[in-house]
Amino acid sequence: MSLIIQDSGLFSIVQSLHKRPSSSGGEYNGACDRLAHQLANQLVGNDPDALTIEMTVRPATIKFTEPTIIAYSGAEFFGTCNNQPVHPNRIYLFDRGDVLKFVDTPRGNRIYLAVAGGLKVEGPNILKPGDEVMMCRDYTSRHDELFNMLRNKNMVNWGVDTYSLVEIYISDLFHIVRRPDVSDEVYEMLESAEFKVLKEQNRVSLHLTGKKIAPAPSNIMHPGLKGGVYLAGGAPILALNDFNQSTTAEHIGTIPSYHMHKLSQKRTGSRLKFKVIDCEDSHANLYAQDLWVKSLFKAIDYKLSKELVKEKM
Amino acid sequence: MFFANGDRAVTYQQSEVIDAAVLERLKNAFNKTAHVYLTDMITTEHTLTFIYEPVKIMEAHNTIEPYGIVVEEARNFLVEKGFLK
């Protein structure tokens, strides 16, 4: 039994947390929004690196073929199932034959759907209509308790509130870690301008439009690195997870990993500003975010345990 | 020159092209060598980029400035393999 992809939406892919090799023809370069991927897994009691379904701009329509516990995180897409509203960052139990559909949202770009016990695909991981996503059913005692709790009502009353995540997603300001060989003039131009997302090449790059910036040519072949900020014809190109190729486009800095969550939620038309920082500052910010994420996940565990104890009494 | 390429990578860059055979030798050596914090190496004809997990170093060394530790490990690797003096 499995999840049936009735409509694959604009772009849906089964994705891992970390980059990993695949022998089955799939490309696993990691979730673009790593926080949303981990959050969805945390809610359904999975390991943070269990595979999720990453859906971009217009999410897929999914049919369930057996009782399945799910949660999804990321952009504020709202879903419906059996005329019941389905919200992000909450836990649901769907039954055989249930179909989950999503309504378009003007904000955000990607959601990550996790299934209790994990999921997998055979062959390519880009989903097409009619594809089946296999359920691993690696159920733990936590999953069994969740199934028992959700047997009578198919959702948990609480979830992670949008306000809790505002700090991560809401700002349009992105840090760039400076390079020692790029002039201050280039960074001043970058910081003084506002840019707009012209287009996204799926999971590869975001192309921006705005003030043209022309650094002195270095004639260096730069590595393609997630978060890299490159200039092509004076316009910034921001590298996402699948940007693997080397490039002679000028590399002027790299967006730190703690801002990649919100970058991957920017869509065509979104506005962006930049602030150039040193590596030391980026590490201090990363550490602060890491502590915050750990405390959020602990709070979810605590809340779930409390709910499960309440159910047993 | 070494520089921080974001918060999870350090890059060694030189203006002269690195010979393809040298790059291949370094890649093979990197994959066969045990590293403390370096997890991957990405090469181009001018650069060698080392990937690391910053929080792991921060927790192991009780610091929030892991950059120097990573550069030292990367430099030692390149010296050991005869690429840098």
Side-chain angles (χ1 to χ4, degrees):
Chain A
M1 301 295 256
S2 53
L3 279 64
I4 312 284
I5 306 299
Q6 289 193 329
D7 173 353
S8 56
L10 187 68
F11 185 76
S12 300
I13 184 169
V14 173
Q15 198 50 257
S16 53
L17 177 62
H18 305 287
K19 188 173 181 165
R20 65 185 196 193
S22 164
S23 55
S24 58
E27 205 174 346
Y28 294 90
N29 286 328
C32 288
D33 182 344
R34 290 168 53 88
L35 176 63
H37 177 104
Q38 293 176 84
L39 186 52
N41 273 324
Q42 190 77 19
L43 284 165
V44 298
N46 287 352
D47 284 339
D49 57 353
L51 298 180
T52 63
I53 304 177
E54 179 184 281
M55 299 180 264
T56 306
V57 180
R58 192 168 59 79
T61 300
I62 300 169
K63 185 175 182 179
F64 299 89
T65 60
E66 66 180 66
T68 308
I69 293 173
I70 70 113
Y72 68 91
S73 297
E76 252 190 319
F77 282 98
F78 292 96
T80 57
C81 183
N82 297 329
N83 296 320
Q84 180 195 5
V86 180
H87 298 276
N89 302 316
R90 285 175 184 264
I91 308 163
Y92 294 90
L93 171 66
F94 293 129
D95 207 351
R96 180 179 177 162
D98 284 351
V99 176
L100 174 63
K101 293 178 180 173
F102 291 93
V103 180
D104 282 351
T105 180
R107 295 183 65 174
N109 200 22
R110 290 184 165 84
I111 56 170
Y112 293 80
L113 184 133
V115 168
L119 43 81
K120 63 181 177 186
V121 280
E122 286 166 358
N125 55 339
I126 296 174
L127 300 174
K128 301 186 299 300
D131 278 355
E132 290 187 27
V133 180
M134 318 297 279
M135 290 172 65
C136 297
R137 295 189 205 83
D138 292 334
Y139 295 130
T140 61
S141 53
R142 168 59 65 90
H143 292 130
D144 294 340
E145 287 176 332
L146 271 175
F147 271 111
N148 281 334
M149 185 174 80
L150 290 163
R151 210 167 16 185
N152 297 328
K153 57 177 185 188
N154 70 336
M155 63 175 285
V156 176
N157 285 334
W158 58 273
V160 178
D161 197 272
T162 307
Y163 292 108
S164 321
L165 303 169
V166 157
E167 198 182 321
I168 302 287
Y169 289 108
I170 204 71
S171 156
D172 294 334
L173 185 73
F174 289 84
H175 289 166
I176 293 183
V177 177
R178 71 170 73 242
R179 284 179 61 116
D181 56 346
V182 172
S183 72
D184 289 344
E185 195 187 354
V186 166
Y187 287 137
E188 280 162 19
M189 285 171 76
L190 193 71
E191 286 187 330
S192 66
E194 186 179 76
F195 297 89
K196 204 157 94 173
V197 178
L198 187 65
K199 63 172 180 178
E200 176 182 337
Q201 204 182 334
N202 272 338
R203 289 182 47 88
V204 175
S205 52
L206 285 177
H207 296 245
L208 307 187
T209 178
K211 190 191 270 184
K212 297 276 180 200
I213 301 169
S218 66
N219 300 317
I220 294 289
M221 181 66 83
H222 298 286
L225 206 63
K226 184 169 73 172
V229 181
Y230 305 89
L231 293 175
I237 293 175
L238 313 181
L240 299 177
N241 293 49
D242 291 1
F243 191 99
N244 291 325
Q245 75 274 28
S246 305
T247 176
T248 51
E250 290 305 326
H251 175 243
I252 58 168
T254 302
I255 296 173
S257 56
Y258 58 83
H259 274 176
M260 291 307 288
H261 316 303
K262 67 175 175 180
L263 183 69
S264 65
Q265 294 298 351
K266 297 298 176 195
R267 52 160 67 182
T268 302
S270 296
R271 292 179 186 278
L272 282 75
K273 292 198 81 170
F274 294 107
K275 181 176 165 52
V276 180
I277 63 167
D278 293 323
C279 164
E280 291 79 12
D281 293 332
S282 76
H283 282 137
N285 293 333
L286 172 70
Y287 190 60
Q289 192 184 79
D290 186 71
L291 290 178
W292 180 85
V293 170
K294 281 175 181 156
S295 67
L296 174 70
F297 289 177
K298 271 196 179 150
I300 291 170
D301 271 349
Y302 174 74
K303 189 84 180 153
L304 258 181
S305 305
K306 225 170 121 181
E307 201 81 18
L308 292 168
V309 167
K310 210 162 59 180
E311 185 68 21
K312 280 179 192 164
M313 286 171 72
Chain B
M1 97 178 154
F2 278 97
F3 66 91
N5 201 333
D7 58 347
R8 290 175 182 268
V10 295
T11 296
Y12 168 82
Q13 178 183 302
Q14 63 178 46
S15 49
E16 303 80 30
V17 169
I18 306 169
D19 186 77
V22 174
L23 284 178
E24 195 57 35
R25 180 173 63 78
L26 287 173
K27 270 194 270 188
N28 288 336
F30 185 88
N31 292 334
K32 283 179 189 161
T33 309
H35 306 281
V36 187
Y37 296 118
L38 307 179
T39 58
D40 197 7
M41 184 176 75
I42 302 162
T43 65
T44 73
E45 58 189 47
H46 295 105
T47 65
L48 305 167
T49 297
F50 300 89
I51 311 295
Y52 64 99
E53 178 48 60
V55 175
K56 204 172 154 187
I57 305 174
M58 290 176 189
E59 288 173 347
H61 289 260
N62 198 21
T63 178
I64 55 166
E65 295 186 356
Y67 172 71
I69 296 165
V70 182
V71 169
E72 192 183 345
E73 189 180 349
R75 189 190 300 276
N76 286 345
F77 166 74
L78 295 176
V79 169
E80 203 175 282
K81 301 302 164 199
F83 182 74
L84 290 182
K85 286 177 185 164

